[in-house]
């Protein structure tokens, strides 16, 4: 498959991997928007959040747990951080393999732009 994040998961394209297990992979965003900006992806290809099915409930919870683990390891858990999953054009989704942005290490504005 030609999906960029599937290729990263298969190690065909290099990435700065910060966490990996059988279900998920986490790596540094190539264009960081905060001092900590990590992407958590499922190894399973799901193109947008709209394609998440009942069968994926545990997997999505697992992604959140992985994001929490990374936030704690990077020292941003207590100060605060943000998990973001963009869906489709108006939200600016540019890679159609779901990913949770884990952002922190600075004061994050709300509402986002
Ligand atoms: P989104 O706009 O929500 O689809 O987010 C896609 C994210 O993937 C962006 O923040 C990009 O900077 C990031 N990205 C694109 N290509 C790569 C790559 N090869 N390695 C790491 N991050 C990437």
């Amino acid at each position: 498959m030609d999906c960029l994040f599937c290729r990263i998961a298969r190690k065909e394209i290099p990435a700065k991997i910060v966490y990996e297990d059988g279900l998920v992979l986490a790596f540094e965003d190539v264009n960081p928007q905060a001092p900590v900006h990590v992407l958590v992806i499922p190894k399973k290809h799901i193109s947008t959040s709209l394609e998440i099915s009942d069968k994926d409930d545990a997997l999505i919870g697992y992604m959140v747990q992985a994001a929490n683990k990374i936030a704690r390891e990077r020292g941003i858990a207590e100060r605060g951080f943000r998990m973001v999953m963009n869906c489709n054009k108006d939200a600016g989704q540019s890679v159609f393999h779901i990913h949770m942005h884990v952002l922190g290490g600075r004061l994050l504005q709300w509402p986002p732009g």
Side-chain angles (χ1 to χ4, degrees):
M1 248 206 302
D2 212 21
C3 165
L4 174 63
F5 287 176
C6 284
R7 297 191 69 193
I8 287 177
R10 292 199 300 264
K11 314 286 165 61
E12 293 171 7
I13 292 176
K16 287 187 190 159
I17 294 172
V18 299
Y19 179 78
E20 179 172 18
D21 62 28
L23 294 175
V24 302
L25 183 74
F27 50 93
E28 304 283 354
D29 195 294
V30 77
N31 182 22
Q33 301 301 312
V36 176
H37 189 173
V38 171
L39 302 175
V40 180
I41 68 165
K43 289 191 169 176
K44 172 184 175 180
H45 182 83
I46 301 172
S47 54
T48 79
S49 63
L50 295 169
E51 271 68 53
I52 294 169
S53 78
D54 292 351
K55 285 182 298 213
D56 302 316
D57 283 354
L59 179 61
I60 302 307
Y62 198 77
M63 285 174 66
V64 172
Q65 296 269 27
N68 283 340
K69 181 180 163 69
I70 290 158
R72 288 194 183 98
E73 283 174 2
R74 298 294 277 268
I76 57 171
E78 295 307 319
R79 270 179 64 188
F81 62 102
R82 192 168 287 164
M83 297 183 198
V84 175
M85 191 182 288
N86 294 318
C87 182
N88 281 339
K89 187 166 72 58
D90 276 5
Q93 184 176 2
S94 61
V95 179
F96 285 80
H97 179 131
I98 60 166
H99 46 280
M100 181 112 52
H101 296 258
V102 181
L103 295 149
R106 67 168 170 83
L107 186 61
L108 300 166
Q109 303 301 315
W110 191 263

